[in-house]
Amino acid sequence: MMSNTSLIQLSLSQASQALRQGETSSVALTEAVLSQISQADGRLQAFLHVSAEQALAQATSADQARQAGGTHHPLLGIPLAIKDILCLQGMPATAGSRILQGYRPVYDATAVTRLRQAGAVFVGKTNTDEFAMGSSTENSAYQVTRNPHDLERVPGGSSGGSAVAVAAHMAFGALGTDTGGSVRQPASLCGVVGFKPSYGRVSRWGVIAFASSLDQVGPIGRTVDDVALLFSTIAGHDPLDSTTAPNPVPDFTHGVSALPDLTGVRVGVPRQYFIEGIQPEVEAAVRRAIEHMRALGATLVDVDLPHTEYALPTYYIIAPAEASANLARYDGVRFGSRQAETDLWALYEQSRGLGFGAEVKRRIMLGTYTLSAGYYDAYYLKAQQVRTLIKRDFEQAFQQVDVMACPTAPTTAFKLGSKTNDPLQMYLEDIFTLPASLAGVPAISLPCETDSQGLPIGLQLIGSAFGEARLLPIAKTFELTYQN
Ligand code: GLN
C-alpha cells in the first residue's frame, strides 16, 4: 500500500488509475487528503468547512461500489474540494459573506449533482472573496488564504481556496467559478491548471449568483487531463439553467489526446496583451512558452483585438450592474443572518449593512447607479454595445487562428495587503482574463516558469466559443513537451 505522502502527490488521473488497478482505496485517498488538510490548512486557510465524516462515508460507499465490480466513472472515490459559492447539500454555503452565515442549502448545484452521480467524494468547501468579488481572496469575510509558495503572498482569487487546496495537495481537484478570471488567475498564481469553459457549457443552477451573464463554473487541477475530466463530467445542457447550451460536450473522461506536435496549429499572439505594466519576467516567460509552441511546429500569427483596452471598464459596468440586481435578494428575511427583528425597515438596513463587506457594497452602489434612470443608456447600454465589439474581435481573430496565447495575469503572486486599499490596482489583476469572459470563450491557465522569487507564472490559452475540443489537446501537447 502507498504511504499518505505518496498518495497525495498523485494527479487526479493517476489517483483514478491507482483506484482502478486496486493499488489504493478511496478511503485511503480520503484519509491522506484529510491528514494533509489537518497538517497544512492551519497555515494556508484554504477551507471554510471540512467534512471528514461525510467524506469518509462517501469514500466507503465508493469502495463498496468498486468491489461490487462492473465499470465505473473515473471520478468514483476521488476526493474533491468545492468553492463555497456552489450549493452542496449537507454543508454550509456562505459565498465568503457574513450575510450567508448559517445558511445551509437544501439542494446541490447541478455541477455538484453531476460529480456526486459520478461518485466523487467532497472533502469540504473552500474560501472565496465575498460573492466572488476580488482577485486575492482577501475579501472573504472569514479568513485570509495564503499562497503555498510564499505564505506572505495572496493565492489570487476569487477561487483562491480551491487553487490552494489543489496546489497544496489537500484535494485531487476542485471546482471554482470564473466571472472575470477567478479560476484562471488563482491557478496562475498558485502554479496549477485552471480552466474556464465557454459560457453556456456548465449549469449555473445552485451557484450563488454574482454576474449571471458572465458566471461560469470551472475546474482546477494539477494537469490538463484532470481539468478536462472534471469539465466533461459537469458540462452539458441543464433544463434548470436556460443559458446552458444544447451542444454535445466533448468526452474527456478518459483523458485528452495530445497531438504528435503542433504542426498546422495557428497560435495567435494578441498584440494588446503585451503591454506596459506587465511584470517583465512574466512577459519573458510567456514569450518563451510561445516560442516553444513555434518550435513544436505551430505557426505564430500576430492578431489584433482592438477593443481590449475597453474590457476592464466594460466589465466593471456590467458585472456590478448584474450583481446589484442579484444581491437584492439578501434582505435578512429569507437567507442567512438577520439583524434588528423588530422593525422591517431596520431589519433590511442592518442585515445588509452588517452582512455585506466593503467591496460588495462598492459594487452594489456602482451597479445601482449605472442602472438608474438617466444613466442606464450612458453606462449600461453603452457597456453592452462595447461588449459586442469585444466579442466580435474574438470572432474575427478565430477566423485566422486556432488558439491565442498570452499571460494569464500581469504579475506573479503579490504581497498580502498590498492592493487591498487600491481597488483599481486589484481590478487590473484581471486585465488579461476579463476579455475572454466578456466574449464567453473558453480559456485555460497552464503553469509555465517561475520568477526569480520562485513564484509560478501562468500561460493563458484562449479558444473559440465551444472550441474546447480544439483547445484542450493543444494545451495538453504544450504541457507534455514544455520543460521549465
Ligand atoms: N476579480 C474580478 C472581480 O472582482 C473577477 C472575479 C471573478 O471572476 N469572480 O470581479
Side-chain angles (χ1 to χ4, degrees):
M1 271 291 164
M2 295 165 86
S3 71
N4 276 357
T5 15
S6 49
L7 283 178
I8 60 169
Q9 297 302 325
L10 300 174
S11 70
L12 191 164
S13 311
Q14 288 168 333
S16 173
Q17 195 183 353
L19 283 174
R20 209 163 39 243
Q21 295 175 345
E23 293 162 6
T24 188
S25 67
S26 177
V27 168
L29 290 174
T30 306
E31 281 172 346
V33 296
L34 288 171
S35 128
Q36 175 69 355
I37 292 171
S38 53
Q39 281 168 41
D41 207 42
R43 301 190 291 285
L44 296 170
Q45 302 278 298
F47 284 89
L48 287 173
H49 179 82
V50 177
S51 192
E53 244 174 70
Q54 269 182 59
L56 286 168
Q58 282 184 298
T60 307
S61 344
D63 286 337
Q64 283 163 356
R66 196 174 293 280
Q67 271 153 21
T71 53
H72 301 289
H73 192 283
L75 287 175
L76 177 68
I78 300 283
L80 301 175
I82 306 293
K83 184 180 185 179
D84 201 28
I85 203 153
L86 288 105
C87 292
L88 193 164
Q89 210 176 356
M91 293 192 202
T94 68
S97 182
R98 286 262 170 252
I99 210 157
L100 281 174
Q101 195 159 25
Y103 172 62
R104 293 183 85 91
V106 292
Y107 64 102
D108 281 337
T110 298
V112 170
T113 303
R114 292 186 179 175
L115 295 176
R116 206 188 277 285
Q117 283 163 351
V121 170
F122 303 119
V123 288
K125 305 290 294 286
T126 55
N127 198 20
T128 166
D129 284 302
E130 187 173 0
F131 289 104
M133 297 173 189
S135 308
S136 67
T137 315
E138 291 165 296
N139 291 338
S140 165
Y142 298 100
Q143 63 199 33
V144 172
T145 303
R146 288 163 188 267
N147 192 310
H149 299 271
D150 179 345
L151 296 178
E152 294 308 307
R153 290 177 188 268
V154 303
S158 64
S159 312
S162 285
V164 171
V166 172
H169 307 274
M170 299 187 286
F172 290 93
L175 292 189
T177 55
D178 191 311
T179 302
S182 278
V183 161
R184 290 162 284 161
Q185 185 260 8
S188 171
L189 271 49
C190 290
V192 291
V193 180
F195 177 47
K196 181 197 87 75
S198 306
Y199 184 83
R201 272 300 194 196
V202 183
S203 173
R204 291 178 297 104
W205 170 259
V207 179
I208 295 171
F210 164 13
S212 307
S213 76
L214 294 155
D215 294 344
Q216 201 49 204
V217 178
I220 297 178
R222 289 199 277 276
T223 67
V224 173
D225 273 343
D226 294 358
V227 297
L229 163 56
L230 290 166
F231 162 69
S232 289
T233 310
I234 62 175
H237 179 255
D238 176 12
L240 297 172
D241 174 0
S242 60
T243 62
T244 50
N247 309 30
V249 178
D251 184 4
F252 295 121
T253 43
H254 296 283
V256 177
S257 308
L259 309 167
D261 56 35
L262 295 182
T263 307
V265 174
R266 296 158 306 164
V267 176
V269 185
R271 125 172 6 109
Q272 286 82 1
Y273 284 61
F274 295 87
I275 49 168
E276 218 179 303
I278 169 170
Q279 187 179 323
E281 288 175 290
V282 170
E283 171 162 0
V286 168
R287 287 204 186 274
R288 278 192 289 271
I290 293 172
E291 208 35 57
H292 168 77
M293 297 179 87
R294 194 225 297 270
L296 276 183
T299 310
L300 304 187
V301 183
D302 275 329
V303 296
D304 231 345
L305 299 170
H307 299 94
T308 300
E309 63 173 306
Y310 305 114
L312 189 100
T314 301
Y315 174 88
Y316 279 98
I317 300 288
I318 293 174
E322 294 182 9
S324 73
N326 275 326
L327 270 54
R329 63 169 68 87
Y330 305 107
D331 53 9
V333 176
R334 283 166 294 180
F335 315 95
S337 66
R338 174 183 303 176
Q339 312 286 338
E341 305 216 9
T342 44
D343 159 6
L344 184 64
W345 197 249
L347 182 151
Y348 290 156
E349 259 179 17
Q350 290 185 34
S351 299
R352 287 173 71 83
L354 296 168
F356 290 134
E359 184 60 30
V360 173
K361 287 179 184 162
R362 181 178 295 123
R363 308 262 180 129
I364 291 174
M365 285 188 279
L366 279 171
T368 31
Y369 181 79
T370 57
L371 289 177
S372 56
Y375 293 108
Y376 184 92
D377 289 358
Y379 294 112
Y380 188 70
L381 204 66
K382 183 59 76 186
Q384 292 292 12
Q385 289 163 343
V386 179
R387 181 179 187 174
T388 302
L389 297 176
I390 293 169
K391 207 169 161 205
R392 282 200 198 133
D393 280 358
F394 279 93
E395 282 163 7
Q396 274 161 14
F398 283 117
Q399 288 176 359
Q400 304 168 54
V401 300
D402 299 289
V403 293
M404 283 190 267
C406 60
T408 304
T411 67
T412 54
F414 45 94
K415 285 255 161 71
L416 288 164
S418 63
K419 296 190 185 188
T420 36
N421 294 323
D422 190 344
L424 187 59
Q425 280 308 313
M426 193 69 93
Y427 298 171
L428 283 166
E429 259 304 295
D430 298 299
I431 187 129
F432 300 139
T433 47
L434 296 172
S437 294
L438 288 164
V441 297
I444 187 165
S445 179
L446 302 168
C448 55
E449 293 179 33
T450 50
D451 71 5
S452 50
Q453 318 222 46
L455 301 169
I457 295 171
L459 166 74
Q460 180 175 217
L461 296 178
I462 305 174
S464 60
F466 294 92
E468 286 88 354
R470 184 77 179 127
L471 173 64
L472 293 176
I474 295 171
K476 179 160 175 184
T477 311
F478 174 85
E479 171 184 70
L480 290 180
T481 54
Y482 189 68
Q483 310 281 335
N484 268 329

